Amino acid sequence: MSHSDSTEGSVADHIKSVRDEIARIEHTYDRTPGSVKLLAVSKTKPSSLIRAAAAQGQIEFGENYVDEGVNKSIELKALDLTWHYIGHIQSNKTRPIASHYDWVQSVDRLKIAMRLAEHRSPDEKPLNVCIQLKLDDEDTKSGCSPTELEPLAEFIDSAATLTLRGIMTIPAPREDFEQQRKVFAELHRWYQKLKSNHAEVDTLSMGMSGDMEAAIAEGATMVRIGTAVFGRRDKPGE
Ligand SMILES: *Cc1c(COP(=O)(O)O)cnc(C)c1O
């Protein structure tokens, strides 16, 4: 038997409790009620569980594997969900990302941004883009450095088929709450700077199941939650 034992009923319960938790944290840290969006990260999870979350009013879903997400979005087309690509981007995958997703949160280099701009049809709504930012001391493989942020943002801003929405970030996991906050606070400063140069920027995507509270305390506008909604994953999914 698989140890990811989620059922449709447990996903419905988890969606409600994660929402309650977000509301509690918003209150604790004087954030505007409802200002933090929940992105349900459904990578490796079957469409039946996505349906269960959607039945609770969840609309935004995140996927890490291009083709898996494309297949689910086609299967669940009638539900009119919003699909975010949050995984590493290989340049030979920019076409399916640009044609099947509503958002891409993991753009970290110009070459990828240019390919996405080219592959997004001008007949569609522009593709919503977050730049994945990593600070110098983080050990994740993807993400641009703070010095690369503004040139990349300028290109995205200028591309008719893309809309710059903000920053996504995945800090290295830390146990200590104050340490988590410190890193998120620095990421928030880069977000404010980006926002001051690009008025349409409204998204700071940071915080996962293990560090959601620190992220909201420091200004996240979107948290990306997998495990706390859908249960553990069989494959370690990064
Ligand atoms: C898997 C993943 C998440 C969700 O992580 P959990 O710890 O399961 O909540 C969020 N963001 C990204 C980029 C991921 O790959």
Side-chain angles (χ1 to χ4, degrees):
M1 192 182 149
S2 150
H3 47 249
S4 57
D5 53 357
S6 302
T7 62
E8 283 140 57
S10 66
V11 167
D13 290 345
H14 291 161
I15 282 279
K16 287 182 216 153
S17 51
V18 170
R19 276 192 197 135
D20 289 348
E21 180 68 0
I22 291 172
R24 179 193 69 77
I25 301 168
E26 284 173 344
H27 182 76
T28 304
Y29 297 94
D30 277 328
R31 299 288 311 275
T32 306
S35 59
V36 180
K37 246 194 204 168
L38 170 61
L39 179 70
V41 177
S42 45
K43 62 186 178 201
T44 82
K45 299 296 181 180
S47 296
S48 57
L49 297 185
I50 297 175
R51 278 184 201 283
Q56 299 306 315
Q58 180 64 30
I59 292 169
E60 320 256 348
F61 291 87
E63 291 282 341
N64 276 59
Y65 307 101
V66 176
D67 298 335
E68 181 191 331
V70 167
N71 291 337
K72 290 174 187 171
S73 73
I74 292 170
E75 192 185 335
L76 299 171
K77 198 161 185 52
L79 296 181
D80 214 10
L81 303 173
T82 299
W83 296 92
H84 296 237
Y85 184 70
I86 61 174
H88 180 70
I89 306 176
Q90 287 168 329
S91 55
N92 64 351
K93 288 290 190 186
T94 49
R95 189 181 293 278
I97 293 171
S99 33
H100 290 278
Y101 288 84
D102 305 291
W103 285 66
V104 50
Q105 296 201 6
S106 40
V107 173
D108 63 356
R109 55 202 193 279
L110 190 58
K111 179 184 166 198
I112 293 293
M114 291 173 82
R115 291 179 66 103
L116 289 167
E118 185 192 331
H119 290 150
R120 182 71 166 186
S121 161
D123 303 333
E124 299 272 346
K125 274 190 243 164
L127 182 63
N128 296 292
V129 176
C130 288
I131 298 172
Q132 185 173 347
L133 176 64
K134 104 177 152 175
L135 301 179
D136 294 340
D137 56 349
E138 302 300 330
D139 58 11
T140 46
K141 42 191 186 301
S142 309
C144 74
S145 67
T147 55
E148 295 164 319
L149 185 61
E150 188 50 37
L152 193 47
E154 267 162 34
F155 171 77
I156 295 165
D157 223 358
S158 73
T161 53
L162 307 178
T163 298
L164 179 67
R165 297 300 295 267
I167 288 174
M168 187 275 266
T169 181
I170 317 172
R174 290 177 173 78
E175 289 298 321
D176 181 72
F177 183 68
E178 292 308 321
Q179 287 299 315
Q180 291 176 356
R181 279 191 74 160
K182 206 170 144 214
V183 178
F184 285 134
E186 185 174 350
L187 289 157
H188 185 253
R189 285 191 288 275
W190 287 108
Y191 171 69
Q192 295 285 53
K193 190 155 187 225
L194 184 70
K195 210 170 149 60
S196 70
N197 293 332
H198 304 272
E200 73 281 23
V201 162
D202 62 359
T203 302
L204 177 55
S205 170
M206 64 183 189
M208 321 204 309
S209 298
D211 55 13
M212 174 172 97
E213 178 151 354
I216 295 173
E218 296 300 342
T221 69
M222 184 184 290
V223 290
R224 307 179 310 271
I225 307 298
T227 310
V229 170
F230 293 107
R232 278 169 56 190
R233 291 176 292 272
D234 290 332
K235 292 183 269 179
E238 275 312 309

